[in-house]
Amino acid sequence: MMACCGGGLCCQCCCNEGDTRTPEELTILGETREDEDEILPRKDYESLDYDRCINEPFLEVLEGLDNKKARKYEAIKWILVFAIGVSTGLTGLFVDFFVRLFTQLKFSLVGQSVEECSENGCLALSLLELLALNVMFIFISSVLVLVEPVAAGSGIPEIKSYLNGVKIPGIVRLRTFICKVTGVLFAVAGGLFVGKEGPMIHSGAILGAGLPQFQSITFKKIRFHFPYFRSDRDKRDFVSAGAAAGVAAAFGAPIGGTLFSLEEGSSFWNQALTWKVLFCSMSATFTLNFFRSGINFNKWGSFQLPGLLNFGEFKCVDGDKMCHLWTAVDLAFFVLMGVAGGLLGALFNCINKRLAKYRMRNVHPKARFIRVLESLLVCMVTTLVIFVASVTLGECRDLVSTNNNTSTQGSVNEEVNSTIRRFFCYNNTYNDMATLFFNPQEVAIHQLFHQNATFSPVTLLLFFVLYFFLSCWTYGVSVPSGLFVPSLLCGASLGRLVANVLKINFHMQVYAGTFALIGAAAFLGGVVRMTISLTVILIESTNEITYGLPIMITLMVAKWTGDFFNKGIYDIHIHLKGVPLLEWETEVEMDKLTASDIMEPNLTYVYPHTRIQSLKSSVLTRAGEQRRRCQSMKSYPSSELRNVCDEQTAVEPAEEGQDILQQMLERRHVPYPNLYPDQSPSEEWTMEERFRPLTFHGLILRSQLVNLLIRGVCYAENQSSASQPRLSHSEMTEDYPRFPDIHDLDLALLNPRMIVDVTPYMNPCPYTVSPNTHVSQVFNLFRTMGLRHLPVVNAVGEIVGIITRHNLTYEFLVAKLRQHYITI
């Protein structure tokens, strides 16, 4: 942001990036760290600007906007929302198809080899086959991440940060989308304990950001003239819709996707956006459902598979009057499982945070191929554990007949029984450990939810321990990876273990599938700390509304328990990246601070009518200007000017009852006759004219100023400002989102005596606050309205500071509060 000032008229705009700060201030802002373990928000992250710039080009667009054009604009937006949903659904179909293809190919080859080698004693060959396939897949996935490092992980922390208002470079680029989608299918097929559902959210967000722009930064030939939606406000709304569509496609939960975008991502929301996001989610769900149902069952239009992950139907066997999905007595066990899920989730997050810090210090600074080697190491250890555990630790369990089931439940159990593994088990038995490990993760979840036969408690415990630590180690390696499915599978094994203990040891009649579901919810809730959206997602995935109460109670207890120890996994990784994320609200204690305590007093500004020479020579900071102003004023013969800047001198009492405020206005803030509207600051000004205090006049972004200079928007000093060329709104936003950088501008090509009039292009009416405004009010205004800059203006209209996102982070406020106590 640049500031525009003219002696007594100031258009505040950008905070100085090269100002001088004390070591203590640098520590507060994360530029230096006394404690290496303490990670503070970085200053190189910029904020999105959700507020509209109500300048003259924008007003001209509004004046030419009639009802017909408004309806056309709204219709285009609805079409784009639908296109985003359909594209997200097709992306999910692509990922699911190839993951199934590669996984079935791998397990069929290795499974057949194991069955043959069980008699011939050549299991080492089977292990080598499995290792070769997995290593090949993971190598491809990891190399894709080297092409675009932002594609690593689930992408949910980055998208959550983006929707919170933080601009993260490369997070919604087309190259990121290609590497993410291709990389995740190889990562899942390669046997790592990762899911494809998390990256689907990131992929949907990228589609939401890219499709309405009709251009690509990666592939520059993809560029169509489409002048609509060229602002952070519109782009962020489409990203919200795309993220929700990703959730809907992953879980078949359009309502849950809408709530996810609202709860976990967007820091500011409007009513019109809700309906569009829901429509986008529905489009994604039914697009994926239509094609998956047609491809898998050859019944086009049947809509039987709503999402990538389907939990199946929870239903008791007909004729079993003792069967019940859950009872009021079970709620007590669900609460305890919620506590256990919160504790285990906190442990998971703690271990993963330490691993992430270790990677940041010892892996990431080294050559990039080290990251590939780490991914291959994790892959080989995981493969070895899966193979050895399946062959040596499994128990042979009896198959259970499903002849008495209904047709629907029978079809579910028929599908479940078709995926069992018989490694070294004969006479109508199966290997329970191999059934969990030698199947895709979604199939293993189905086994735990719907398999009639009991899994061995020892097997479930070993599976949980192995899966817990391996999935914790895996999340953070340089491959696209989701965490939803591994957490669900890990928790489902724990829930099934609880059900087995209650059945065997306490002879209780419980439905094992329900306990597996609640265990999955408890552990997932303990890891990610989601409540409302996750409850709805799980209800929609089960298609059983009666599970609403136990799922909600379990998730709330798991969140409360986990929050006692640390934050959710996504918030932890956001913190590790140094992203200045704004929470929902500030702590009550922070209201001891005011806007003047946290604002940035060093400002960069320009005059409303500024010579190009002054822009080229130097951009003065507010602090530097104020220091020079004070020094000059103190040496100036006028005692009036000395008193203006001397902080130690008390204000003289008003004479003859004159109002002090009126006296200050008359004495300090009379606009310069030589400044506005047609003349630039002159070197011939007197000292009093040169060092008047600055009156706030508006905001203009640095990108807007550079755009004006590149397009030659200026006028000669012997001409009126009316002769300056005028830019339309489409011309001002044509280069969005990659505006030219100010350092790329060669000012030597411009006449230094020319004058730039920025008043038509600045925002003359931004939100402002008083220096005495409490922090909670400042925080709510900034976060709710999605601001990028919040000027601090005193009672007489003088700009005294500016507040950005970095001034409202928790770490910054805590440091300022500590200074406040020291001062007291």
Side-chain angles (χ1 to χ4, degrees):
M1 171 202 66
M2 295 274 334
C4 192
C5 310
L9 295 175
C10 169
C11 279
Q12 169 56 39
C13 134
C14 41
C15 296
N16 185 20
E17 298 174 356
D19 55 352
T20 302
R21 292 185 173 88
T22 64
E24 184 178 11
E25 289 173 320
L26 292 174
T27 302
I28 292 173
L29 296 174
E31 298 177 13
T32 62
R33 301 181 179 92
E34 297 177 0
D35 183 3
E36 291 184 358
D37 291 333
E38 185 179 8
I39 298 177
L40 299 176
R42 291 162 44 187
K43 286 204 66 183
D44 53 347
Y45 285 112
E46 295 185 0
S47 294
L48 299 171
D49 199 352
Y50 200 65
D51 187 28
R52 296 188 187 278
C53 180
I54 313 296
N55 53 17
E56 292 186 12
F58 181 80
L59 294 176
E60 292 174 358
V61 173
L62 291 183
E63 291 176 358
L65 189 65
D66 54 17
N67 291 334
K68 183 178 180 180
K69 290 182 179 179
R71 287 193 296 268
K72 175 185 176 182
Y73 181 85
E74 191 69 13
I76 294 174
K77 184 175 289 189
W78 279 99
I79 293 173
L80 288 173
V81 165
F82 176 74
I84 293 169
V86 172
S87 302
T88 305
L90 293 176
T91 301
L93 178 69
F94 172 83
V95 172
D96 180 71
F97 177 81
F98 283 100
V99 166
R100 285 176 177 269
L101 178 64
F102 294 152
T103 304
Q104 289 176 0
L105 175 64
K106 180 182 69 174
F107 282 130
S108 62
L109 290 176
V110 177
Q112 182 180 0
S113 176
V114 171
E115 295 291 346
E116 294 175 355
C117 289
S118 62
E119 299 179 356
N120 301 328
C122 55
L123 288 177
L125 180 61
S126 303
L127 176 59
L128 290 177
E129 291 177 357
L130 183 60
L131 270 174
L133 290 172
N134 285 347
V135 167
M136 180 183 65
F137 290 150
I138 299 305
F139 177 78
I140 297 173
S141 178
S142 190
V143 168
L144 288 171
V145 171
L146 292 185
V147 175
E148 183 55 73
V150 184
S154 67
I156 294 179
E158 290 79 6
I159 295 303
K160 181 176 179 179
S161 301
Y162 187 92
L163 295 180
N164 190 262
V166 182
K167 185 183 298 182
I168 299 180
I171 194 63
V172 290
R173 293 179 62 178
L174 179 59
R175 185 169 63 184
T176 306
F177 175 79
I178 296 173
C179 294
K180 192 83 173 187
V181 171
T182 310
V184 71
L185 68 89
F186 283 109
V188 176
L192 289 182
F193 293 163
V194 299
K196 55 183 179 289
E197 285 71 20
M200 275 300 304
I201 300 173
H202 188 187
S203 302
I206 298 175
L207 291 171
L211 283 180
Q213 300 298 314
F214 286 93
Q215 65 178 4
S216 171
I217 297 175
T218 304
F219 303 99
K220 300 186 182 301
K221 291 185 178 181
I222 303 178
R223 187 178 182 90
F224 300 93
H225 179 68
F226 190 72
Y228 304 102
F229 314 120
R230 299 287 186 181
S231 68
D232 287 343
R233 183 188 187 94
D234 293 322
K235 188 173 184 178
R236 195 215 66 108
D237 287 349
F238 284 120
V239 169
S240 298
V247 176
F251 298 97
I255 300 176
T258 304
L259 293 176
F260 173 86
S261 188
L262 173 61
E263 177 188 6
E264 287 298 311
S266 303
S267 58
F268 24 89
W269 197 264
N270 61 71
Q271 186 177 7
L273 181 62
T274 306
W275 190 237
K276 294 183 177 65
V277 170
L278 180 60
F279 177 68
C280 186
S281 301
M282 288 287 185
S283 303
T285 300
F286 285 98
T287 299
L288 180 63
N289 198 344
F290 175 80
F291 285 101
R292 285 195 71 204
S293 301
I295 293 174
N296 293 342
F297 301 110
N298 199 24
K299 295 181 179 179
W300 297 93
S302 59
F303 297 103
Q304 296 178 343
L305 297 172
L308 298 180
L309 178 63
N310 298 293
F311 292 161
E313 184 179 3
F314 291 79
K315 188 175 181 180
C316 291
V317 178
D318 287 350
D320 188 359
K321 297 182 179 180
M322 298 297 295
C323 177
H324 49 263
L325 294 182
W326 66 278
T327 64
V329 177
D330 296 334
L331 285 175
F333 296 103
F334 297 159
V335 171
L336 295 177
M337 292 173 65
V339 174
L343 293 174
L344 292 170
L347 177 62
F348 184 97
N349 294 352
C350 179
I351 298 175
N352 188 263
K353 181 178 180 180
R354 292 183 178 273
L355 287 171
K357 285 187 175 181
Y358 178 83
R359 290 188 177 107
M360 292 171 62
R361 296 193 183 103
N362 301 284
V363 178
H364 295 173
K366 297 181 180 179
R368 295 204 295 175
F369 76 91
I370 299 296
R371 305 184 190 185
V372 178
L373 295 181
E374 184 200 14
S375 302
L376 297 180
L377 174 63
V378 175
C379 171
M380 289 187 288
V381 172
T382 302
T383 303
L384 186 63
V385 169
I386 289 176
F387 191 87
V388 173
S390 300
V391 172
T392 63
L393 300 181
E395 294 186 15
C396 294
R397 314 294 294 183
D398 293 330
L399 289 174
V400 176
S401 175
T402 59
N403 294 334
N404 296 329
N405 292 347
T406 61
S407 59
T408 303
Q409 187 69 10
S411 62
V412 172
N413 283 307
E414 182 180 352
E415 179 184 353
V416 169
N417 290 335
S418 66
T419 57
I420 63 172
R421 303 302 177 193
R422 300 177 180 269
F423 292 180
F424 307 103
C425 294
Y426 309 98
N427 299 327
N428 204 31
T429 60
Y430 68 98
N431 187 321
D432 57 355
M433 183 70 79
T435 299
L436 295 176
F437 269 133
F438 256 79
N439 271 312
Q441 296 175 102
E442 293 83 359
V443 174
I445 292 176
H446 266 265
Q447 292 282 352
L448 293 170
F449 284 171
H450 303 292
Q451 176 63 275
N452 288 331
T454 59
F455 290 88
S456 167
V458 176
T459 297
L460 291 172
L461 181 60
L462 289 174
F463 177 82
F464 171 79
V465 172
L466 294 174
Y467 213 93
F468 179 92
F469 288 105
L470 284 175
S471 59
C472 185
W473 185 23
T474 303
Y475 188 72
V477 298
S478 294
V479 296
S481 57
L483 194 60
F484 274 89
V485 170
S487 298
L488 288 171
L489 181 53
C490 199
S493 63
L494 183 63
R496 191 64 184 257
L497 174 61
V498 173
N500 286 3
V501 171
L502 292 178
K503 280 185 174 182
I504 298 172
N505 293 41
F506 297 93
H507 307 288
M508 296 180 61
Q509 293 293 329
V510 296
Y511 188 78
T514 298
F515 276 78
L517 174 65
I518 297 301
F523 187 77
L524 180 58
V527 171
V528 302
R529 312 290 166 78
M530 295 162 53
T531 52
I532 302 174
S533 57
L534 187 55
T535 300
V536 177
I537 288 172
L538 294 178
I539 292 175
E540 289 184 284
S541 298
T542 59
N543 198 25
E544 184 59 60
I545 191 61
T546 58
Y547 280 138
L549 179 62
I551 290 176
M552 182 178 66
I553 292 176
T554 303
L555 290 175
M556 291 176 61
V557 173
K559 175 178 170 56
W560 293 339
T561 304
D563 285 343
F564 186 78
F565 298 96
N566 50 33
K567 293 184 177 181
I569 189 68
Y570 299 134
D571 290 326
I572 288 176
H573 280 263
I574 289 172
H575 176 75
L576 291 176
K577 295 176 185 295
V579 178
L581 191 76
L582 298 184
E583 302 294 340
W584 283 102
E585 57 187 3
T586 61
E587 296 181 356
V588 177
E589 192 179 19
M590 297 301 176
D591 259 349
K592 296 177 182 178
L593 300 174
T594 61
S596 60
D597 296 321
I598 66 172
M599 69 183 185
E600 173 58 64
N602 300 324
L603 308 176
T604 299
Y605 58 87
V606 296
Y607 297 103
H609 296 251
T610 306
R611 294 186 188 276
I612 293 179
Q613 180 182 12
S614 64
L615 292 176
K616 182 173 63 174
S617 60
S618 63
V619 182
L620 299 177
T621 66
R622 177 71 168 92
E625 175 75 293
Q626 188 66 41
R627 283 194 296 268
R628 285 189 291 271
R629 184 182 298 129
C630 291
Q631 293 172 359
S632 301
M633 288 179 182
K634 290 180 180 179
S635 61
Y636 198 69
S638 171
S639 61
E640 178 183 0
L641 289 178
R642 284 201 304 270
N643 292 336
V644 166
C645 206
D646 191 353
E647 298 178 351
Q648 305 299 326
T649 305
V651 179
E652 297 179 358
E655 298 179 359
E656 299 180 0
Q658 184 182 19
D659 182 55
I660 295 180
L661 177 61
Q662 184 64 30
Q663 183 187 41
M664 293 174 64
L665 286 170
E666 293 176 355
R667 185 179 67 185
R668 300 177 56 188
H669 299 282
V670 177
Y672 297 118
N674 293 337
L675 172 69
Y676 189 82
D678 293 324
Q679 296 190 16
S680 174
S682 172
E683 297 177 357
E684 299 176 356
W685 279 5
T686 64
M687 191 66 66
E688 182 175 357
E689 288 176 323
R690 185 182 299 275
F691 296 106
R692 288 277 189 174
L694 302 175
T695 300
F696 178 73
H697 205 63
L699 290 174
I700 186 168
L701 299 178
R702 181 181 282 107
S703 59
Q704 295 173 318
L705 185 59
V706 174
N707 197 11
L708 297 179
L709 295 177
I710 289 179
R711 296 177 182 272
V713 179
C714 54
Y715 65 96
E717 57 183 340
N718 59 352
Q719 296 177 335
S720 170
S721 60
S723 62
Q724 176 177 275
R726 297 296 297 269
L727 296 183
S728 64
H729 185 264
S730 61
E731 291 174 322
M732 290 291 295
T733 59
E734 182 179 359
D735 294 323
Y736 179 85
R738 190 62 61 89
F739 291 105
D741 189 82
I742 192 170
H743 302 291
D744 299 332
L745 179 63
D746 188 3
L747 295 176
L749 300 177
L750 301 175
N751 186 346
R753 303 296 297 175
M754 298 291 285
I755 301 173
V756 179
D757 178 14
V758 302
T759 52
Y761 308 101
M762 69 185 183
N763 185 2
C765 50
Y767 292 96
T768 61
V769 293
S770 165
N772 297 322
T773 307
H774 289 285
V775 162
S776 62
Q777 295 173 292
V778 175
F779 186 90
N780 292 335
L781 175 63
F782 193 97
R783 193 184 194 279
T784 304
M785 303 311 300
L787 304 181
R788 183 176 180 180
H789 307 100
L790 184 58
V792 182
V793 181
N794 62 18
V796 293
E798 181 183 356
I799 176 75
V800 296
I802 197 160
I803 294 174
T804 65
R805 170 176 297 271
H806 300 277
N807 303 102
L808 294 172
T809 59
Y810 175 78
E811 294 80 5
F812 187 92
L813 293 179
V814 168
K816 286 297 184 181
L817 186 62
R818 189 180 301 117
Q819 290 182 357
H820 175 75
Y821 285 138
I822 294 174
T823 304
I824 294 178

